[in-house]
Amino acid sequence: RFIGVDKAAEAYLRAASVLGRSFRPDVAAAMAELTPLQAAAAQEALTRAGLIEDGGGGRGPAPAGPG
């Protein structure tokens, strides 16, 4: 469990990790059974925590790499 990340964000991150380095946020949200509002909040929290990063180019976020 990640400190400071709620259950919705944790579920979103698990779904993203299954989908791979680049993933569609809507697919991760559906897999995590989150509403669009929950998914947006999860994505924001995970980005702030450095666990995902914006992939750019319309491909959606990507898990954060070693930095």
Side-chain angles (χ1 to χ4, degrees), residues 13-56:
L13 185 60
R14 276 195 301 269
S17 70
V18 169
L19 293 170
R21 183 115 178 105
S22 288
F23 62 92
R24 288 183 36 199
D26 59 326
V27 175
M31 288 176 64
E33 299 180 347
L34 301 178
T35 67
L37 186 59
Q38 289 173 314
Q43 188 174 346
E44 182 178 327
L46 293 168
T47 300
R48 272 187 311 208
L51 297 171
I52 63 172
E53 54 191 32
D54 185 359

